[in-house]
Amino acid sequence: EAGVTQFPSHSVIEKGQTVTLRCDPISGHDNLYWYRRVMGKEIKFLLHFVKESKQDESGMPNNRFLAERTGGTYSTLKVQPAELEDSGVYFCASSPYVSSLVTDTQYFGPGTRLTVL
Amino acid sequence: RKEVEQDPGPFNVPEGATVAFNCTYSNSASQSFFWYRQDCRKEPKLLMSVYSSGNEDGRFTAQLNRASQYISLLIRDSKLSDSATYLCVVNIAFSGGYNKLIFGAGTRLAVHP
């Protein structure tokens, strides 16, 4: 079974440019999460989709970040315009939907390393 | 104060050593607890879940103390391949079947020959 995939693996852009990151979750996983690790800091939650709906976007830094998951399959995270502090590794994770409070394991993709110059 | 606190290390130990990592969390609504392992420039991978009764998986033992909001990971007989960053992770579950993971900054382990 294919795992979570992310594209691109690396992206180097200049301040003010736009970048779009893509995440393909494990097939059949309704939950899709975006996380970010900025240099020297811990991995932080950005937002969570259940199918195509945004369940929780409390971690999104500001309105320069836009996440979509049209059709409830893959997701994109667009940064426009990019700033220097956006540099970091962006991870995507997915998990199956559960109907109770029992936690399901989140499976992480390899991440996209974004460098803003 | 960070929601999940870990000693950043690095812990430099010889092969065969026993090493212990500690972690504290601040949110009493945390529902479940994990240790993830992250190799350099790779994604986090689940090492083991942590239960109140304590659980063991081979050379790895995890323990949870809810009253103290404290989590530990013990690695016995360290191998070179154990070198990685160990992330303490707590999960906050919400009704509706979704959850949010809160990560510690990680503790780096370097096992040398």
Side-chain angles (χ1 to χ4, degrees), chain A residues 4-6 9 89-92 108-112, chain B residues 41-43:
Chain A
V4 177
T5 58
Q6 293 186 245
S9 56
V89 182
Y90 290 77
F91 291 105
C92 175
F108 281 77
T112 293
Chain B
R41 294 182 172 263
K42 298 286 187 181
E43 71 272 24

Side-chain angles (χ1 to χ4, degrees), chain A residues 37 40-43, chain B residues 2 4-13 18-24 34-40 44-45 47 60 70-75 78 81-89 103-111:
Chain A
R37 184 168 201 163
K41 302 283 187 181
E42 64 274 18
I43 296 171
Chain B
K2 290 183 180 179
V4 179
E5 298 259 19
Q6 292 183 252
D7 182 337
F11 283 48
N12 293 300
V13 303
T18 295
V19 61
F21 303 138
N22 302 318
C23 168
T24 57
F34 308 92
W35 284 100
Y36 275 73
R37 169 191 169 131
Q38 186 173 25
D39 292 284
C40 189
K45 289 188 176 175
L47 178 65
F60 299 85
Y70 169 89
I71 307 160
S72 65
L73 176 68
L74 185 76
I75 304 176
S78 299
S81 56
D82 293 335
S83 298
T85 296
Y86 290 82
L87 305 171
C88 178
V89 183
F103 285 80
T107 300
R108 198 151 59 87
L109 172 66
V111 182

